[in-house]
Amino acid sequence: MAIVTLLTDFGLSDSYVAELRGVVLSAAPGVVLADITHAVAPGDVRAAAHVLGRAWHRFPAGTVHLAVVDPGVGTPRAALALRARGHYLVGPDNGIFTHVLRDTPVEIVVLRVPADAAATFHGRDVFAPAAAALANGVRLETLGTWFTGLPERLATAEPRYEGKSVIGEVVYVDRFGTLVTNLTAEQVPAYATLEVEDLGLGPLRRTFADVAVGALVPYLGSDGAVEIAVRNGSAARRLGLGVGGEVRVRLDVVRGKK
Amino acid sequence: MAIVTLLTDFGLSDSYVAELRGVVLSAAPGVVLADITHAVAPGDVRAAAHVLGRAWHRFPAGTVHLAVVDPGVGTPRAALALRARGHYLVGPDNGIFTHVLRDTPVEIVVLRVPADAAATFHGRDVFAPAAAALANGVRLETLGTWFTGLPERLATAEPRYEGKSVIGEVVYVDRFGTLVTNLTAEQVPAYATLEVEDLGLGPLRRTFADVAVGALVPYLGSDGAVEIAVRNGSAARRLGLGVGGEVRVRLDVVRGKK
Amino acid sequence: MAIVTLLTDFGLSDSYVAELRGVVLSAAPGVVLADITHAVAPGDVRAAAHVLGRAWHRFPAGTVHLAVVDPGVGTPRAALALRARGHYLVGPDNGIFTHVLRDTPVEIVVLRVPADAAATFHGRDVFAPAAAALANGVRLETLGTWFTGLPERLATAEPRYEGKSVIGEVVYVDRFGTLVTNLTAEQVPAYATLEVEDLGLGPLRRTFADVAVGALVPYLGSDGAVEIAVRNGSAARRLGLGVGGEVRVRLDVVRGKK
């Protein structure tokens, strides 16, 4: 039976997520629901795109991903359904699919908006019915019209070279206070060291326990991005750094630096 | 296979919700579990009733709703199981079913309390087994005795007319800080304007994006109630208003008012 | 179909839990996922062990419990899979199974760690695949090698006798601020009274409503441990007590004490 994942900024205290669940289970009995998250900060499309980008491809082909962080609900922004690598994704055209669209050929349809859809709750009245239909095997192209433009993508910073350094930035902070950067393994060779402002963090380590409890530790994260953590603590708090904060990779050999 | 929804104030950090899940899945293998919420503030039966009232009828007929916000656990308050519109609901007789009971004919049974039920955890030892039994197709009336009294209902404020105004009040505040009122479309004609204290909010809009970012916006919410939000912000914080706060609908034509 | 429960300290805002879900559902289609909790404080193995100890045996035999609170991820600590009372449990050898191991014969296997497992995310790359395999009916012993040592167990305080008193301690605090102790019914006969510092709490009551709203109430909790709550309030806040805090059971008859 098809899986439908749910990703929203609705939180878990109100009825909104349950209304999605009810609509999907009513229209597609037997579907398997799986939350991605509902704790995206209200309207934070960038964080939603990051989390979706990490999670969606872990599910089996055929999965339908309902992704609704939608501050522009009720405006003319398009409601989309996508097919990518055998998965389906449903959500607003506001950049939430930025990481899905990277290097992935997609087919995109603009969903019809029923006349009686609540102007403030397309999650329930537009996207959930579309997700249920796809889970039921309804063909993508019957849900609307082919999308002929370019879907929204969030501008994403790329690391830049500056003398003997590469400058990356923090793109996400997780619940542990770990700083996820836009740096990848190829920008951080084994001899390179990392710095945040004037603080040297040393070379990439393998895991948290390679440093003492309470120490900062840079490492290659489980999704291929360079991350900075504090062992048993929060790097975000320690460094006072958030999304957009700069991380420097020094490619010259640093000696005697603490 | 039958769906069992869960609504509690148990939170998500302890074992309590998992114990419910385990009991239901042990007694009714194959049942589909779906959370409504577990983040109701401890003992807030009013909020629980509101969330349940919005969510339950979105699920398909045959669904069993387990609703346990139960500050009176272990007292003589009755443990109930209801049938309403082809759904089943299970929970304490403390007003949690207030919105379900509105305009809906119900059949109600008082559940037997097993002698070994923990006096502080009827959710696990009384309600979850009853929900599992109903999901298994056990007939309602075999779970106890017909309830002959009137089930508890929370007093709910009705909007009142005052000269050329209607005075409503806030009945729920959601995670976005949106104020949900007891006003409905019929009390707010197109020419009416809303006020909170001396602040004019203008007429109902269609959606958030009909005002500037950061502005207050009244609109007809997705459940038919008038709501007040701040676009990309929190109306509760902006207005300093919570449950019980007054919202005025002015039916006279207001000119020149900002 | 087999059930796989999930218990982590990953929180619900990031992609990590969804990655586990995706991996399990990809490798074991049709499995039923059920959360125990993901809100364990980061690295709090003791709390995780407590919650797991209460919840796991409520699920039916055959259930696979994936328990990953793993501050030592990537170190030589063993990755384990256990069979206990017909259940399977998968997680790190760091004490998280302390309560499962109590009075329960177990068979234990050390899981193979795939060469390409992310050193910081064994939850996804080691434990989730093992859980999926067990859910698919793969035999425990084929997942690794028999574990011949003693699995880690957290030191747990036992109540101690001191004159005419028993001194217990708080072992867990739940979301309501209820203090769960290591005292059981046999240490608190009907004539005994409880004290925290100099404050008398009286004898065990049956349920919250046996005291006035706002009053402290000791009682035998739903898992057999003595607990202290405040009716409609938080005992942790009222008493300023947390894990390790002392609770005294007076076995002498106290007269005239308020």
Side-chain angles (χ1 to χ4, degrees), chain B residues 8-19 21-26 30-31 33 35 38-43 70-75 118-122 124-125, chain C residues 3 12 32-40 50-52 54-55 57-61 172-176 178 180 206-210 219-223 227 231-232:
Chain B
T8 76
D9 62 351
F10 297 168
L12 288 172
S13 11
D14 303 315
S15 63
Y16 309 133
V17 173
E19 294 181 58
R21 291 184 179 125
V23 167
V24 172
L25 289 171
S26 294
V31 85
L33 293 172
D35 288 333
H38 301 287
V40 172
D70 190 14
V73 62
T75 67
T120 53
F121 201 177
H122 282 194
R124 182 189 69 193
D125 295 345
Chain C
I3 297 162
L12 289 171
V32 173
L33 292 173
D35 288 334
I36 290 184
T37 181
H38 300 289
V40 172
H50 176 88
V51 171
L52 181 63
R54 276 198 65 139
H57 55 92
R58 297 287 170 186
F59 288 84
Y172 187 78
V173 181
D174 76 11
R175 75 115 30 169
F176 299 97
T178 297
V180 181
R206 207 179 60 88
T207 189
F208 311 121
D210 291 337
Y219 58 95
L220 196 61
S222 59
D223 201 38
E227 305 185 358
R231 181 173 176 195
N232 299 5

Side-chain angles (χ1 to χ4, degrees), chain B residues 142-187:
Chain B
T142 66
L143 297 179
T145 54
W146 290 113
F147 182 69
T148 52
L150 286 174
E152 287 290 326
R153 293 176 198 228
L154 302 173
T156 52
E158 294 300 322
R160 66 177 198 275
Y161 285 77
E162 192 182 282
K164 295 206 162 174
S165 291
V166 189
I167 314 293
E169 68 177 57
V170 175
V171 296
Y172 188 77
V173 180
D174 76 11
R175 74 115 28 168
F176 299 98
T178 297
L179 306 168
V180 181
T181 75
N182 60 352
L183 295 160
T184 57
E186 51 193 45
Q187 286 133 5

Side-chain angles (χ1 to χ4, degrees), chain B residues 45-46 48-50 52-53 82 94-104 151-156:
Chain B
V45 176
R46 183 169 296 273
H50 177 88
L52 182 63
L82 291 69
N94 63 6
I96 200 169
F97 300 120
T98 296
H99 299 290
V100 174
L101 295 164
R102 178 174 294 167
D103 308 322
T104 305
E152 287 290 326
R153 293 176 198 228
L154 302 173
T156 52

Side-chain angles (χ1 to χ4, degrees), chain C residues 66-109:
Chain C
L66 180 55
V68 187
V69 174
D70 190 14
V73 62
T75 67
R77 68 95 190 86
L80 302 181
L82 291 69
R83 178 164 44 210
R85 296 198 232 163
H87 292 239
Y88 296 92
L89 300 105
V90 174
D93 182 25
N94 63 8
I96 200 168
F97 300 120
T98 295
H99 298 289
V100 173
L101 294 166
R102 180 175 292 168
D103 308 321
T104 306
V106 293
E107 297 171 281
I108 311 183
V109 155

